[in-house]
Structures are given as C-alpha cells and as structure tokens.
C-alpha cells in the first residue's frame, strides 16, 4: 500500500502534495496564533480548538493494552504467525499456505468462507498466476451488508529498501500485508454475535501488489476483479458501505483522513473518526494529509460502494527521513499489539452503531 505520485488507479503511492509540510490541508504553522486570539476572546474553549486543529481529542488518554476490549495481543500473534510463513506473494506456495490458514481459521469461528478465483498475468514471465479473493460471510441471510476488507498478498521484494543489496531479499510484509488479516482475525471473533439488521463480509484481496516495477505493473488486481464481478454479476445482497484497513499495526500509529475516502465516502470516514474521538483514541486525526491510491478505489469508482481507507502511510512516523514501507524493516518488531487493539476497537464499536 502506498500513496502515489501519479493519477493511475493501479498505483498506490503518496500523491503529489502529500508531504506534511506542503499539504494544503495542514493546519501546521498558523493555528497557534489563531488559538491564542480565540482563547483571549473567550469565543471557544481551548480544547475545542485543539480538536479542530487535528490535535488530540478532548477525551484522549494513554490507553493500556489490557484496558481495551479488543484483544490486540491475539491479533499481533496472528501477524507474527503470518510473517513466519515468509513471502505471501500471489500464486506462491506461501500464499497457498496462508489461504489454507484463512479457510481453517475463519470456518472455525463460524464464518462462511469461499474463494473468488481468477487468473492474472505475471508481470515478468507472462505466465498465468492463480489468484483468489477470500470472502468470509457473517450472517449471510441478511441482504443489506457492510464490507470490511484488506489485502493479504505481499509485494515480491522489498524494492524500496535503502540498501540496494537487500532489494531482492525476503519481504515478509508485517504491516503492509499481515496487519489487515491480523486485525480481521480478532474482529471475526465478535461477528457471530453481531446484532444488527446488516450482515458483514470480510474480503481479503489478492494481487494488491503483484508488482516488480511500480511504473509498469498493475496494482489492485483482486479488488478490481471483485468490483467488476459485483457490477456484472450482481449478487442477491447489496453492500451499503465499506471499510478498507491497510498498514494499521505501525507501532507509531497516525491515522489521518485519506483524500479519496473523503471524496467518495465522507459519511463513512467521518463516522469512524467520530467513534475514535468518543473513545479517546487520539491516533485518529481528523484532517487530510495523504491521497492514497489503494484497494478502496475500485470499490468506489467501479462497484459504487462508498468505502474509506484506514491507513497509516507514515511508517514509522510523519516527517521521517526514511520509511519502512516496502523495505526489510517492515517486520513484526516495528508493529504493535496496542495499535491493532486501538484500530480494532474503533472498527468494532463503529460496526455496533450500524443498526
């Protein structure tokens, strides 16, 4: 996953203007004088303006892992287990092992598991690559449904590594690949008891980045296939809205509004961040920093399912000179059970509000 510098729907990198210092949506640099003026005039309480400026919400607190009613430790353990498989690149033995794990795990939880199979062209050899989106249905009898999704493939190599000698070495994709599956593994434990008129589907997209050359190879193969099938072969159910989670285990978690999520799914996005503010999860920052081209785009533009992207593209931190994204540093040690717990808690509470 990444925010891109091009307008191609197939890429996933930081878009132009995504840098914190230059982003036109950033409050940085001028909100302190405004805060002082308003505080002196007594027009608004200081804490309200802090909220408006994208700072910590009024109820923010330093949550401990044991205090959060979402088992981040169990989720983190799944993340580590998936990384122990090694590469889970589309069409490889590692992906097959992961698919077997997904089917076994979610079936035991009570989900209805199926695979939406298709083929893609290998970017290097032209050979056919077997692909499969994993679909886990909860309460399949409900015809109005909510889509919760992630990708579960990994990039073939850590081609963004600062050391050129490592760019053909093993990439385990702890945050970029395993974190979404890890979060859904714990969220799935809550789904059999989900009391709502809506059903929920988890979809794990394959082929998000079967990419060897980012300027040439297509991204989002699985989500594009899923979106086209939804339109061309309509199911008996309808998706009312969707949420994509991606790179949400960063130990230094920062979750900003994403530009395309606001453009296509503003109500969904704002409602999730409102839940985070109510819970006092300050890592959800209600301001736009990045435009990210990710699996939510085909869902929005092709399937017309309003879908937001919960993604921390500042890995490890905003403004860092380097990144762990697509490098050998994307490992479990740079991920956090607490981050998984916070995102999972917010998403679960948001789901419970969908009556």
């Amino acid at each position: 996953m990444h925010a891109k510098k091009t307008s191609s729907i197939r890429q996933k990198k930081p878009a132009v203007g995504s840098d914190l210092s230059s982003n036109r949506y950033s409050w940085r640099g001028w909100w302190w004088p405004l805060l002082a003026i308003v505080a002196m005039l007594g027009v608004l309480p200081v804490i309200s303006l802090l909220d408006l400026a994208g700072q910590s919400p009024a109820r923010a607190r330093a949550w401990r892992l044991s205090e959060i009613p979402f088992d981040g430790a169990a989720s983190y353990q799944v993340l580590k287990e998936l990384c122990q498989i090694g590469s889970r690149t589309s069409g490889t033995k590692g992906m097959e092992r992961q698919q077997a794990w997904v089917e076994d795990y979610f079936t035991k939880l009570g989900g209805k598991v199926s695979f939406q199979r298709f083929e893609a062209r290998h970017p290097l050899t032209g050979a056919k690559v077997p692909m499969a989106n994993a679909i886990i249905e909860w309460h399949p009898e409900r015809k109005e449904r909510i889509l919760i999704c992630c990708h579960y493939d990994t990039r073939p190599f850590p081609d963004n590594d600062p050391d050129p000698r490592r760019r053909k070495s093993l990439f385990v994709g702890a945050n970029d690949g395993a974190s979404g599956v890890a979060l859904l593994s714990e969220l799935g434990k809550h789904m059999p008891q989900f009391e709502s008129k809506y059903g929920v589907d988890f979809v794990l997209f394959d082929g998000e980045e079967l990419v060897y050359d980012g300027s040439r190879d297509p991204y989002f193969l699985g989500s594009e296939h899923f979106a086209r099938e939804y339109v061309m072969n309509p199911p008996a159910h309808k998706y009312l809205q969707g949420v994509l989670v991606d790179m949400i285990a960063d130990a230094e978690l920062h979750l900003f509004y994403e530009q395309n999520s606001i453009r296509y799914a503003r109500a969904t996005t704002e409602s999730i961040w409102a839940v985070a503010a109510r819970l006092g999860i300050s890592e959800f920052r209600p301001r736009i920093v990045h435009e990210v081209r990710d699996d939510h785009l085909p869902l929005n533009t092709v399937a017309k399912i309003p879908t937001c992207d919960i993604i921390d593209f500042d890995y490890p931190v905003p403004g860092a000179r380097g990144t762990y994204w697509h490098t050998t540093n994307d490992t479990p040690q740079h991920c956090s059970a607490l981050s998984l717990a916070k995102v999972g808690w917010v998403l679960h509470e948001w789901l419970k509000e969908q009556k």
Side-chain angles (χ1 to χ4, degrees):
M1 287 57 28
H2 37 124
K4 289 211 166 187
K5 294 184 178 177
T6 78
S7 60
S8 168
I9 194 174
R10 294 185 175 277
Q11 296 183 337
K12 208 172 96 188
K13 298 179 180 177
V16 172
S18 65
D19 182 76
L20 280 170
S21 63
S22 62
N23 189 277
R24 63 192 177 100
Y25 296 96
S26 176
W27 292 68
R28 184 177 293 181
W30 60 269
W31 69 271
W32 275 109
L34 178 62
L35 174 60
I37 293 171
V38 174
M40 286 189 296
L41 292 175
V43 177
L44 289 172
V46 170
I47 192 64
S48 296
L49 193 56
L50 282 170
D51 288 348
L52 189 63
Q55 305 303 303
S56 299
R59 296 183 59 191
R61 54 170 289 185
W63 288 100
R64 295 186 182 131
L65 186 62
S66 60
E67 297 174 318
I68 297 176
F70 188 93
D71 195 342
S75 184
Y76 182 69
Q77 181 60 36
V78 168
L79 181 148
K80 292 194 294 183
E81 290 174 5
L82 294 175
C83 289
Q84 288 171 1
I85 293 175
S87 173
R88 283 99 59 211
T89 303
S90 301
T92 65
K93 293 296 183 182
M95 173 54 87
E96 290 179 3
R97 286 182 60 191
Q98 181 178 215
Q99 288 167 343
W101 180 92
V102 165
E103 183 171 24
D104 179 69
Y105 181 90
F106 286 105
T107 298
K108 286 179 178 176
L109 290 184
K112 180 182 176 182
V113 181
S114 62
F115 289 92
Q116 184 183 56
R117 299 190 184 278
F118 62 104
E119 292 181 337
R121 177 183 176 276
H122 195 285
L124 296 182
T125 67
K128 292 181 179 180
V129 180
M131 314 284 282
N133 295 326
I135 301 174
I136 302 101
E137 300 173 69
W138 307 99
H139 307 284
E141 72 282 358
R142 300 173 185 173
K143 300 306 180 185
E144 293 185 316
R145 307 188 67 75
I146 297 170
L147 181 65
I148 308 294
C149 49
C150 66
H151 78 95
Y152 72 144
D153 65 311
T154 54
R155 199 172 181 92
F157 299 111
D159 55 334
N160 197 40
D161 201 277
D163 185 346
R165 295 169 298 180
R166 298 179 181 173
R167 292 175 187 169
K168 294 293 184 180
S169 58
L170 174 65
F171 178 66
V172 298
N175 197 24
D176 191 0
S179 68
V181 184
L183 185 141
L184 296 187
S185 72
E186 185 60 28
L187 186 61
K189 295 176 183 178
H190 300 266
M191 287 297 99
Q193 297 79 36
F194 180 53
E195 296 181 359
S196 172
K197 66 179 180 180
Y198 303 119
V200 175
D201 285 353
F202 294 171
V203 179
L204 282 54
F205 294 124
D206 202 349
E208 194 266 359
E209 47 188 356
L210 182 61
V211 172
Y212 293 83
D213 183 340
S215 65
R216 176 201 65 200
D217 302 337
Y219 289 78
F220 318 139
L221 300 176
S223 56
E224 287 190 352
H225 179 81
F226 181 88
R228 288 195 302 269
E229 284 295 302
Y230 182 73
V231 173
M232 297 177 66
N233 299 294
H237 58 266
K238 179 181 180 181
Y239 292 117
L240 302 182
Q241 56 185 328
V243 180
L244 173 69
V245 292
D246 198 353
M247 296 175 67
I248 40 76
D250 185 351
E252 299 286 344
L253 192 64
H254 300 84
L255 296 166
F256 299 99
Y257 284 162
E258 186 276 318
Q259 175 69 71
N260 288 309
S261 300
I262 292 295
R263 179 179 296 129
Y264 295 113
R266 176 180 288 272
T268 299
T269 305
E270 291 181 345
S271 65
I272 292 171
W273 265 250
V275 169
R278 173 171 60 80
L279 297 177
I281 306 296
S282 61
E283 287 81 1
F284 284 74
R285 311 290 179 87
R287 57 187 173 98
I288 298 170
V289 171
H290 296 299
E291 178 181 358
V292 182
R293 312 195 67 78
D294 206 346
D295 277 319
H296 64 316
L297 286 185
L299 300 176
N300 280 297
T301 62
V302 178
K304 306 301 181 183
I305 304 168
T307 304
C308 84
D309 192 2
I310 303 177
I311 183 170
D312 180 359
F313 194 69
D314 299 300
Y315 184 36
V317 293
R321 301 184 69 178
T323 178
Y324 297 155
W325 170 70
H326 290 176
T327 74
T328 53
N329 282 319
D330 187 5
T331 57
Q333 72 186 71
H334 293 125
C335 297
S336 163
L338 183 58
S339 294
L340 288 164
K342 288 178 177 179
V343 179
W345 186 25
V346 169
L347 189 53
H348 184 220
E349 290 297 317
W350 175 81
L351 276 173
K352 290 194 294 185
E353 291 186 355
Q354 311 309 301
K355 301 295 186 179

